[in-house]
C-alpha cells in the first residue's frame, strides 16, 4: 500500500508537509496542498487513522449519543443517523454511536479515552441527566433537542411549537371546531422530552386563538388500543372529526384504526400526520403531513459541530436554531367549506 513517503515523493514535498496537510496543524499554501491532495488521489492513498490521530491529537470521530428507549420509533431515529453519518463523512469525520447503557458516564468515558473529538446528543429530555456532564466536558457538543435550561449550550431542533400551531390553524381553516390530538407514546411523554411540550404549546395557543377545542388521546401501541382511544375521543367530538398524529409510530395505527371504524379519510375525517413524503404518498389515500425536516436538522447539527472543531474561535457561547416544519396538503383532509 502507498505510504506518506510515496505521496511526498510524487508531490515533490517533504514527508512532514504531507503530515501537515492531513492534520491541519500548520498553514500550507493552496498550491502545495493541491499537489499533495492530487498525489494522494493518484496513489489512492488512505491515511492511517491511528497515525493521523497521534499526529493531530484528533480522532476524526464524532460521538452520537442516543438513548434507545422502549417504543422508540426506529424508523424516525434512522432518518437522523443515516444523514448525520453521511454528512460527517463529507467533512472527513466518522460517527461513534453511544447508547444509553452507561448513562452520562458513557460520555465521560469516550471523551476521556479520546475516542471522539466532539458530541451530538439526541433525544434530549427536559431535565436530561447528560446535560450537567456535557457542560463539564473538554470537547464541543451540539444537542438535537432543547433542554429546559439551555444556557451555555448549542441546540438545534425542528420548531415543534410552530408545527403544532400550523396543524391546528390548517384544520380550523377547513372548518373543524374540534381537533383530536393523538399523543406520543407514553414512554416518550414520561421522559419529558422538550419537543412534546413545545408541540402541545403550539397546539394550545392556536386552538385558543381559533376557538378550537382540543381533545387529547394517548398514543397506543396496538390497533385495538388505538380503536378504543379513537372511539372514546369521538364521543367528545362534534362535527366532522379531525386528527393530528405528530409521532411517526402512531401514523399507521391511526389510519388503520379509522378505516376499521368505517371512517374515510378526507371525507368523514381529516388527518394530519408527521411522516416523509414518500410514505405519505404511498398510502391508498395520500396523507396530509406536517414534516419536521429531520434531514435538514441532522445536516445542520453536523455542520455546527464541525465548525466548532475546525474553527474553535467562532464557536458561540450558546446557540438555538429551530428549523421550520413543512405542511403539505393531500387527500386525507377535507376541502374547505367554500370549495365543497
Amino acid at each position: 500500500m502507498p505510504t506518506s513517503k510515496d505521496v511526498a515523493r510524487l508531490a515533490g514535498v517533504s514527508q512532514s508537509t504531507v503530515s501537515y496537510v492531513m492534520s491541519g496543524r500548520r498553514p500550507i499554501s493552496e498550491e502545495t496542498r493541491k499537489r499533495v491532495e492530487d498525489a494522494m488521489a493518484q496513489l489512492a492513498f488512505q491515511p492511517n487513522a491511528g497515525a493521523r490521530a497521534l499526529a493531530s491529537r484528533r480522532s476524526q470521530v464524532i460521538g452520537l449519543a442516543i438513548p434507545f428507549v422502549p417504543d422508540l420509533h426506529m424508523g424516525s431515529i434512522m432518518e437522523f443517523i443515516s444523514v448525520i453519518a453521511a454528512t460527517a463523512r463529507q467533512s472527513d469525520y466518522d460517527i461513534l454511536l453511544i447508547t444509553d447503557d452507561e448513562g452520562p458516564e458513557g460520555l465521560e468515558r469516550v471523551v476521556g479515552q479520546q475516542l471522539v473529538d466532539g458530541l451530538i446528543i439526541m433525544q434530549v429530555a427536559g431535565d436530561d441527566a447528560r446535560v450537567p456532564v456535557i457542560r463539564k466536558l473538554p470537547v464541543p457538543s451540539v444537542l438535537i433537542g432543547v433542554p429546559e435550561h439551555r444556557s451555555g449550550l448549542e441546540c438545534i431542533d425542528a420548531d415543534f411549537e410552530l408545527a403544532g400551531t400550523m396543524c391546528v390553524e390548517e384544520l380550523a381553516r377547513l372548518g373543524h371546531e374540534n381537533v383530536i390530538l393523538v399523543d406520543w407514546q407514553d414512554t416518550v411523554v414520561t421522559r419529558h422530552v422538550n419537543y412534546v411540550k413545545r408541540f402541545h404549546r403550539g397546539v394550545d395557543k392556536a386552538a385558543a386563538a381559533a376557538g378550537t377545542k382540543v381533545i387529547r388521546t394517548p398514543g397506543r401501541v396496538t390497533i385495538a388500543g388505538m380503536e378504543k382511544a379513537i372511539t372514546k375521543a369521538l364521543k367528545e367530538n362534534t362535527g366532522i372529526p379531525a386528527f393530528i398524529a405528530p409521532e411517526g409510530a402512531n401514523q399507521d395505527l391511526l389510519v388503520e384504526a379509522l378505516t376499521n371504524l368505517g371512517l374515510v379519510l378526507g371525507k368523514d375525517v381529516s388527518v394530519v400526520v408527521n411522516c416523509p413524503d414518500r410514505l405519505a404518498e404511498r398510502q391508498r389515500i395520500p396523507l396530509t403531513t406536517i414534516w419536521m425536516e429531520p434531514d435538514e436538522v441532522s445536516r445542520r447539527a453536523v455542520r455546527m459541530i464541525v465548525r466548532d472543531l475546525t474553527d474553535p474561535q467562532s464557536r458561540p457561547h450558546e446557540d438555538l436554531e429551530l428549523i421550520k416544519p413543512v405542511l403539505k396538503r393531500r387527500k386525507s383532509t377535507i376541502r374547505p367549506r367554500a370549495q365543497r
Side-chain angles (χ1 to χ4, degrees), residues 100-114:
D100 207 29
D101 300 339
E102 298 178 79
E105 293 77 15
L107 303 180
E108 294 178 316
R109 179 180 63 81
V110 298
V111 172
Q113 294 178 4
Q114 298 182 328

Side-chain angles (χ1 to χ4, degrees), residues 17 28 66 70 77 158 195 265 268 283 285 298 317:
T17 298
I28 301 294
I66 305 175
I77 292 300
Y195 60 77
L265 275 62
D268 303 319
Q283 304 296 316
I285 298 176
S298 300
H317 170 65

Side-chain angles (χ1 to χ4, degrees), residues 210-287:
T212 303
K213 179 183 177 182
V214 176
I215 302 164
R216 286 188 184 152
T217 183
R220 297 300 181 192
V221 294
T222 66
I223 290 294
M226 183 64 79
E227 288 179 10
K228 184 177 179 180
I230 289 172
T231 300
K232 182 176 182 296
L234 288 174
K235 290 178 180 178
E236 303 177 45
N237 180 75
T238 57
I240 298 176
F243 289 84
I244 303 171
E247 184 179 25
N250 285 329
Q251 164 207 313
D252 292 338
L253 290 174
L254 174 62
V255 172
E256 186 170 345
L258 289 170
T259 301
N260 291 347
L261 292 170
L263 296 170
V264 178
L265 275 62
K267 179 181 177 183
D268 303 319
V269 60
S270 284
V271 171
V272 180
V273 302
N274 171 27
C275 78
D277 292 345
R278 65 179 184 277
L279 295 181
E281 292 168 357
R282 196 181 299 165
Q283 304 296 316
R284 186 174 63 84
I285 298 176
L287 300 171

Side-chain angles (χ1 to χ4, degrees), residues 3-174:
T3 66
S4 60
K5 186 180 292 186
D6 298 322
V7 173
R9 187 182 300 113
L10 181 60
V13 299
S14 67
Q15 195 172 356
S16 60
T17 298
V18 175
S19 176
Y20 294 145
V21 169
M22 291 189 295
S23 68
R25 292 182 65 189
R26 289 192 182 180
I28 301 294
S29 71
E30 281 303 313
E31 179 185 352
T32 301
R33 180 183 299 279
K34 187 174 188 310
R35 291 213 318 270
V36 171
E37 290 175 345
D38 288 347
M40 291 169 66
Q42 186 175 334
L43 294 172
F45 172 73
Q46 292 292 331
N48 180 280
R52 184 172 61 174
L54 286 172
S56 66
R57 297 183 182 179
R58 290 279 184 88
S59 66
Q60 291 301 118
V61 175
I62 297 168
L64 177 59
I66 305 175
F68 288 110
V69 298
D71 299 329
L72 191 65
H73 190 226
M74 289 310 301
S76 300
I77 292 300
M78 287 308 300
E79 290 273 353
F80 286 92
I81 293 175
S82 60
V83 176
I84 287 171
T87 308
R89 282 306 310 144
Q90 292 172 5
S91 297
D92 199 26
Y93 282 90
D94 288 307
I95 292 296
L96 174 65
L97 197 62
I98 307 165
T99 62
D100 207 29
D101 300 339
E102 298 178 79
E105 293 77 15
L107 303 180
E108 294 178 316
R109 179 180 63 81
V110 298
V111 172
Q113 294 178 4
Q114 298 182 328
L115 298 176
V116 301
D117 299 329
L119 295 165
I120 295 175
I121 312 296
M122 289 186 61
Q123 288 289 306
V124 178
D127 57 349
D128 202 302
R130 296 171 295 177
V131 167
V133 173
I134 291 166
R135 294 183 189 278
K136 298 176 183 177
L137 292 175
V139 300
S141 299
V142 171
L143 281 64
I144 298 181
V146 186
E148 292 295 334
H149 304 288
R150 63 175 184 84
S151 61
L153 300 173
E154 291 182 69
C155 305
I156 185 167
D157 205 357
D159 193 336
F160 279 84
E161 182 170 341
L162 177 58
T165 296
M166 291 169 68
C167 287
V168 172
E169 288 180 345
E170 173 69 4
L171 293 170
R173 183 185 71 84
L174 298 177

